């Protein structure tokens, strides 16, 4: 705060703090408090709201525990989101390392541009593109059959595999850029010194690169997991009955079942899960909020 005061002065600093506080309170705190209030009240017709039956209760939360189908979908969403995060990291780490430590300064802007250009298109359109690619008679199945890798087309659409592939692609930038920012600050002399001392590439990455990039890994995992767990468009378009996402259940409670109280309870449970994942990642990688903010 002292640095901000010195740079911008007291008046502009006060304006910045006030705008940030307004944004946090109006767009984060108050909506969450309203959602909690909704989740702790029963779903009643308008004529009974405020009456003797309108009391705080945890029944909306108990519903998830009693409903075996919804509980199974919730656990499946957690597992699939973690898998999406792991696969995204596996795909992005080599790319981020190459961009940060190997690519020449003249080619780096072109690589970044090639990564960003596909994301100028709306997420729904990119998801529809994967719908065409993963179709039963789509380009992917035709290529696999043509190469002799499979005897007959595979139904990717409607399966967990199709949803996971689509999510890895949709959220890849949220992993690659935090990794790139973290690895780029690593002094290349450390890598050269390790190679001169006889360390192999696996040991160099395990002992030097990955420990240095822990803040970037934590940020990438947090963002990817939260976006995957809260995604609706990708599982709705690429998924099916066997790959339903918890957000689809929340959507059904709000807009099809008309039970906003139950939907708010499910949404708050998902929020608690994401907050717990953030704290777990910070503890696992031994980073604090200051490291994550960088």
């Amino acid at each position: 705060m002292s640095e901000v005061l010195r740079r911008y002065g007291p008046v502009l600093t006060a304006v910045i703090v006030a705008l940030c506080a307004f944004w946090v309170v109006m767009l984060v705190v108050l909506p969450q408090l309203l959602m909690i209030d909704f989740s702790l009240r029963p779903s009643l017709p308008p004529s009974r709201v405020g009456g003797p039956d309108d009391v705080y209760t945890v029944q909306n939360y108990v519903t998830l525990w009693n409903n075996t189908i919804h509980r199974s979908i919730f656990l499946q969403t957690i597992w699939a989101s973690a898998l999406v995060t792991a696969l995204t990291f596996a795909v992005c780490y080599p790319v981020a390392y190459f961009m940060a430590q190997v690519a020449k300064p003249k080619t780096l802007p072109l690589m970044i541009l090639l990564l960003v250009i596909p994301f100028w298109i709306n997420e729904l359109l990119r998801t529809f593109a994967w719908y065409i690619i993963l179709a039963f008679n789509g380009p992917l199945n035709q290529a696999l059959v043509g190469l002799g890798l499979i005897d007959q087309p595979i139904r990717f659409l409607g399966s967990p595999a199709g949803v996971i592939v689509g999510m890895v692609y949709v959220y890849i930038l949220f992993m690659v850029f935090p990794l790139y920012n973290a690895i780029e600050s690593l002094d290349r002399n450390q890598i050269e010194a390790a190679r001169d001392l006889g360390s192999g590439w696996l040991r160099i990455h395990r002992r030097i690169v990955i420990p240095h990039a822990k803040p970037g890994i934590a940020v990438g995992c947090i963002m990817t997991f939260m976006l995957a767990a809260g995604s609706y468009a990708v599982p709705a378009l690429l998924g099916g009955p066997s790959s339903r996402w918890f957000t689809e259940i929340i959507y059904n409670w709000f807009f099809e079942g008309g039970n906003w109280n139950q939907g708010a309870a499910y949404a708050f449970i998902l929020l608690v899960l994401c907050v717990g994942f953030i704290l777990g990642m910070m503890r696992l990688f031994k980073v604090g909020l200051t490291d994550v903010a960088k």
Side-chain angles (χ1 to χ4, degrees):
M1 180 61 72
S2 60
E3 177 64 22
V4 177
L5 281 171
R6 185 190 65 80
R7 179 178 298 182
Y8 299 109
V11 176
L12 187 56
T13 299
V15 172
I16 294 174
V17 171
L19 290 175
C20 292
F22 177 81
W23 183 85
V24 171
V25 171
M26 298 301 296
L27 299 181
V28 179
V29 177
L30 289 182
Q32 299 303 327
L33 291 177
L34 185 62
M35 183 178 67
I36 295 173
D37 181 72
F38 264 86
S39 69
L40 293 174
R41 294 181 181 275
S43 179
L44 299 172
S47 60
R48 296 171 58 186
V49 173
D53 296 329
D54 191 7
V55 295
Y56 285 112
T57 176
V58 295
Q59 184 58 41
N60 293 324
Y61 293 91
V62 176
T63 300
L64 178 61
W65 179 259
N66 293 334
N67 192 316
T68 56
I69 296 177
H70 290 181
R71 188 171 72 247
S72 175
I73 294 174
F74 177 71
L75 296 176
Q76 176 181 305
T77 300
I78 298 173
W79 158 248
S81 300
L83 181 59
V84 167
T85 303
L87 291 175
T88 307
F89 173 76
V91 171
C92 293
Y93 180 80
V95 177
Y97 178 81
F98 183 86
M99 291 169 54
Q101 296 292 331
V102 179
K104 297 179 180 179
K106 292 183 179 180
T107 59
L108 181 59
L110 178 60
M111 292 185 62
I112 295 176
L113 185 63
L114 292 176
L115 281 172
V116 172
I117 282 178
F119 290 83
W120 291 354
I121 304 173
N122 184 272
E123 179 181 337
L124 287 175
L125 296 179
R126 285 184 277 119
T127 306
F128 272 119
W130 275 102
Y131 186 93
I132 297 173
I133 294 172
L134 299 175
F136 187 74
N137 293 319
L140 179 59
N141 271 318
Q142 291 180 2
L144 293 175
V145 173
L147 293 173
L149 298 178
I150 57 176
D151 296 328
Q152 56 184 3
I154 301 173
R155 294 193 179 276
F156 293 107
L157 293 179
S159 68
V163 176
I164 290 173
V165 169
M167 284 194 176
V168 168
Y169 172 75
V170 168
Y171 303 127
I172 196 170
L173 289 188
F174 295 96
M175 179 69 77
V176 71
F177 282 124
L179 289 175
Y180 166 75
N181 290 333
I183 299 175
E184 193 217 4
S185 62
L186 175 63
D187 188 354
R188 298 188 183 183
N189 292 326
Q190 296 185 41
I191 299 176
E192 294 298 329
R195 292 180 62 186
D196 293 340
L197 293 173
S199 294
W201 279 113
L202 182 61
R203 187 177 181 85
I204 289 174
H205 285 277
R206 183 170 59 88
R207 298 295 296 273
I208 297 176
V209 181
I210 291 179
H212 180 83
K214 284 196 297 185
I217 296 173
V219 172
C221 290
I222 288 170
M223 295 181 67
T224 304
F225 180 87
M226 292 182 64
L227 290 170
S231 176
Y232 176 78
V234 177
L237 293 175
L238 302 181
S242 63
S243 58
R244 296 197 69 188
W245 223 249
F246 194 63
T247 49
E248 297 180 84
I249 306 299
I250 297 174
Y251 179 90
N252 290 339
W253 279 122
F254 272 104
F255 299 106
E256 294 184 9
N259 191 338
W260 283 40
N261 305 86
Q262 189 66 66
Y266 277 29
F268 185 69
I269 291 173
L270 184 61
L271 174 64
V272 172
L273 166 68
C274 291
V275 172
F277 183 84
I278 292 173
L279 298 177
M281 286 293 101
M282 292 173 59
R283 186 177 182 86
L284 176 63
F285 292 102
K286 298 180 181 178
V287 297
L289 290 176
T290 303
D291 299 318
V292 173
K294 293 179 181 179

